[in-house]
Amino acid sequence: MPTLFRFLFIVGIIAGLIYGSMVALVFLVEPKEREVTIRIPSERLNPVKTEQQ
């Protein structure tokens, strides 16, 4: 049984470290805002209609 408790303790520590790092990222990191421009080819906006027989 001690190995199960040791395993659960280690998994709990790892989960706590991951959770703590996620909380730190939320509170300490500020995203940088910037403009994003995406060029869309005119063929996608106005497709050429082909005649079907």
Side-chain angles (χ1 to χ4, degrees):
M1 212 51 173
T3 56
L4 177 62
F5 290 133
R6 192 178 323 153
F7 172 72
L8 291 177
F9 181 74
I10 291 171
V11 169
I13 293 294
I14 292 172
L17 288 172
I18 292 171
Y19 184 77
S21 63
M22 289 174 59
V23 170
L25 281 173
V26 167
F27 286 112
L28 299 176
V29 175
E30 287 290 326
K32 297 178 184 175
E33 293 184 16
R34 59 182 180 159
E35 284 193 34
V36 178
T37 304
I38 300 174
R39 295 187 182 269
I40 302 175
S42 61
E43 293 83 22
R44 287 186 61 194
L45 295 176
N46 300 318
V48 179
K49 295 181 182 177
T50 60
E51 293 184 27
Q52 295 183 4
Q53 297 178 3

